[in-house]
Amino acid sequence: MDSRWVRRTPLLVTAAAAIALTAACGGNPATTGSSQPQGSSAPLTSSGKPAPSGSNAPNTTKAGDKVTVSDDAAKQLCDMIRPQLSDWRVQGPTLGGIAYNATVHEWAVRNGGINMQVLGDKDVIDRLTTANCSDVRDQAIQALEIPNLATGLAF
């Protein structure tokens, strides 16, 4: 009987790792590419004003210590979280939390590489999802068993 477990343990570990990686790397292929609206040449801030002409700044601004992003980027975050909610419910808070972190970081990379700014202002995720998709936010909090989305960001 011991030899059976010796043979199956690596298989179980490999399967668990594959599931975690699939969940973490999964995403909505329809949301790939730029979050910039077609026909627009300058990124918009959440106030709707274009960034200064000729700047290569990402579609983020920093007001005090708070990160703000364009309305399209905020909607993109909702669109990236929404299809993963059922996976997170099944995976539970541990694996779901890893997948949640991967989703937020993928979103941050797609929107100007603002990962470090998001980590400095984790509440931005709650602000964006409350304003743009409170139902998705509530379901994510429930699935991940956390008090708010900022708490779930570990890295």
Side-chain angles (χ1 to χ4, degrees), residues 85-104:
L85 290 171
S86 62
D87 291 339
W88 297 347
R89 284 186 203 100
V90 171
Q91 293 167 347
T94 303
L95 289 177
I98 294 169
Y100 163 66
N101 274 269
T103 300
V104 171

Side-chain angles (χ1 to χ4, degrees), residues 4 6 17 23 37 68 76 83-84 90 96 104 114-115 129 133 136 147 155:
R4 183 185 304 165
V6 170
T68 58
Q76 182 188 47
Q84 295 199 32
V90 171
V104 171
I114 59 169
N115 301 61
T129 54
C133 54
V136 170
F155 54 92

Side-chain angles (χ1 to χ4, degrees), residues 27-62:
N28 187 350
T31 61
T32 58
S34 174
S35 64
Q36 186 68 21
Q38 287 185 346
S40 176
S41 61
L44 297 176
T45 63
S46 60
S47 65
K49 296 178 183 174
S53 177
S55 77
N56 288 333
N59 59 348
T60 64
T61 58
K62 201 164 185 182

Side-chain angles (χ1 to χ4, degrees), residues 66-135:
K66 294 185 177 182
V67 176
T68 58
V69 298
S70 71
D71 292 335
D72 286 338
K75 290 174 187 166
Q76 182 188 47
L77 176 62
C78 295
D79 291 342
M80 290 178 71
I81 292 173
R82 186 175 288 112
Q84 295 199 32
L85 290 171
S86 62
D87 291 339
W88 297 347
R89 284 186 203 100
V90 171
Q91 293 167 347
T94 303
L95 289 177
I98 294 169
Y100 163 66
N101 274 269
T103 300
V104 171
H105 282 287
E106 180 183 352
W107 168 80
V109 167
R110 289 182 184 187
N111 289 283
I114 59 169
N115 301 61
M116 295 308 291
Q117 292 142 322
V118 169
L119 289 177
D121 180 21
K122 294 179 180 181
D123 291 326
V124 68
I125 304 302
D126 283 299
R127 288 193 305 272
L128 293 174
T129 54
T130 298
N132 291 283
C133 54
S134 60
D135 60 324

